[in-house]
């Protein structure tokens, strides 16, 4: 039986690649977006042109009521969900903790954790009834590196990772798998902004210094999502897969010779 997936933030970047990849494997895809209707429409057209099935759905995941409403809309249009890729997200303003107010923490926590949890909660009856269902949460390797000026984003991603691991235990008895994908820098609009913010470079300028000679592409992340959603990953839950080419290469400092 073909699956029905909701990809939040499916109109651009990582979500776009995930939507196209899942559709290519026979999954009907709800492509969620916030405001770029043309971009979402382009993803739907690309999927349909390749023989797949997709519909675009406008909703803000940082509005928990709208996120729950999105699930209802998808159910009415495509049918009951058995795969959620919680991918939509935004970066924080890039200020130090000393200069960051509560509002910024709450903004990031809402888009990356509270909204997605409302969405997942609304979908759980469908997910539990599916026999095999998956929730895949897009996090970030930033949770491990905790760089300066990123606390609201890092904390929000860490909060969602904690919730995802908890959910994996709670929903295992209902057949729902919950896994986390944590990319490093990815060549997307957000990736370009992050590259510019951390030193004024473009992704193309950074490519040569990255593992395998390139910053990750959205398709690298989409491949891992497709694996987690496949029958091959039937016995995986509560896992976190880093898609960062092996992470930072910290040279081992040779012991100083004492002459
Ligand atoms: N790029 C990176 O380097 C990187 C690294 C690690 C993790 N990530 C994570 O990967 C995910 C995707 O990032 P990306 O680089 O693909 O970002 P992106 O290129 O900026 O695209 C963001 C997508 O999310 C949607 N979106 C943003 N806020 C939304 C909201 N409140 N409600 C619904 N949709 C919303 C956008 O829709 P509209 O176009 O309609 O606004 C767009 O489809 C995010 O969770 C991000 O934190 C990214």
């Amino acid at each position: 039986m073909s699956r029905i997936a909701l990809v939040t933030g499916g109109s651009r970047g990582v979500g776009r690649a995930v939507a196209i990849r899942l559709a290519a494997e026979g999954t009907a895809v709800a492509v969620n977006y916030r405001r770029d209707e043309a971009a979402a429409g382009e993803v739907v057209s690309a999927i349909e042109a390749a023989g797949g099935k997709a519909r675009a759905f406008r909703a803000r995941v940082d509005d928990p009521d709208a996120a729950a409403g999105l699930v209802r809309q998808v159910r009415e249009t495509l049918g009951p969900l058995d795969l959620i890729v919680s991918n939509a997200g935004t970066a924080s303003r890039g200020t130090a903790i000393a200069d960051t107010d509560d509002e910024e923490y709450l903004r990031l926590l809402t888009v990356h954790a509270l909204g997605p949890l409302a969405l997942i909660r609304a979908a759980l009856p469908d997910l539990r009834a599916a026999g095999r269902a998956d929730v895949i949460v897009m996090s970030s390797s930033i949770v491990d590196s905790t760089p300066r000026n990123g606390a609201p984003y890092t904390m929000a991603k860490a909060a969602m990772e904690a919730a995802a691991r908890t959910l994996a235990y709670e929903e295992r008895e209902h057949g729902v798998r919950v896994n986390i994908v944590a990319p490093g820098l990815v060549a997307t609009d957000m990736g370009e902004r992050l590259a510019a913010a951390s030193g004024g470079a473009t992704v193309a300028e950074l490519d040569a210094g990255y593992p395998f000679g390139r910053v990750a592409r959205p398709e690298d992340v989409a491949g891992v999502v497709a694996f987690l959603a496949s029958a091959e990953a039937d016995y995986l839950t509560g896992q976190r897969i880093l898609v960062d080419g092996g992470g930072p290469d910290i040279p081992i400092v040779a012991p100083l010779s004492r002459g």
Side-chain angles (χ1 to χ4, degrees):
M1 206 181 70
S2 88
R3 304 191 70 175
I4 301 175
L6 167 58
V7 181
T8 67
S11 57
R12 289 188 286 121
V14 172
R16 177 183 189 280
V18 168
I20 288 172
R21 175 68 192 262
L22 292 176
E25 297 185 1
T27 298
V29 182
V31 177
N32 159 252
Y33 66 101
R34 174 182 48 170
R35 53 186 170 215
D36 193 342
E37 188 176 358
E42 185 273 331
V43 176
V44 170
S45 299
I47 288 172
E48 289 176 342
K53 183 173 178 182
R55 297 282 183 280
F57 295 86
R58 180 177 205 149
R60 295 190 66 108
V61 301
D62 53 355
D63 173 345
D65 289 339
L70 169 63
V71 171
R72 285 194 296 276
Q73 256 191 298
V74 175
R75 189 188 293 124
E76 281 162 20
T77 310
L78 292 176
L81 285 164
D82 62 358
L83 170 55
I84 292 176
V85 183
S86 180
N87 163 82
T90 43
S92 52
R93 298 211 171 91
T95 50
I97 289 174
D99 306 314
T100 303
D101 57 22
D102 290 352
E103 205 181 314
E104 176 71 347
Y105 290 104
L106 197 56
R107 184 176 76 85
L108 272 291
L109 196 62
T110 306
V111 70
H112 290 288
L114 301 179
L117 286 173
L119 186 150
I120 292 163
R121 207 161 53 234
L124 273 179
D126 289 352
L127 300 178
R128 288 175 174 178
R132 155 87 192 254
D134 294 84
V135 174
I136 299 170
V137 169
M138 198 58 64
S139 186
S140 169
S141 66
I142 204 168
V143 171
D144 308 311
S145 57
T146 59
R148 59 181 70 207
N149 304 329
Y153 179 83
T154 307
M155 287 168 61
K157 289 296 198 192
M160 192 57 197
E161 286 198 11
R165 288 182 193 279
T166 308
L167 192 68
Y169 287 126
E170 291 174 352
E171 295 303 321
R172 187 163 55 184
E173 69 206 68
H174 301 293
V176 182
R177 282 76 169 163
V178 185
N179 290 292
I180 299 160
V181 178
L185 185 65
V186 188
T188 65
D189 295 340
M190 184 192 285
E192 290 290 358
R193 283 197 299 276
L194 294 173
S198 57
T202 64
V203 164
E205 285 165 345
L206 291 178
D207 269 339
Y210 265 65
F212 309 113
R214 61 185 175 81
V215 168
R217 298 308 192 242
E219 292 72 21
D220 293 312
V221 185
V224 175
V225 171
F227 162 68
L228 287 171
S230 76
E232 304 298 323
D234 204 46
Y235 209 64
L236 291 194
T237 196
Q239 300 305 303
R240 176 177 189 258
I241 301 185
L242 278 162
V243 187
D244 66 348
D249 181 11
I250 301 166
I252 296 167
V253 179
L256 290 175
S257 60
R258 295 178 191 276

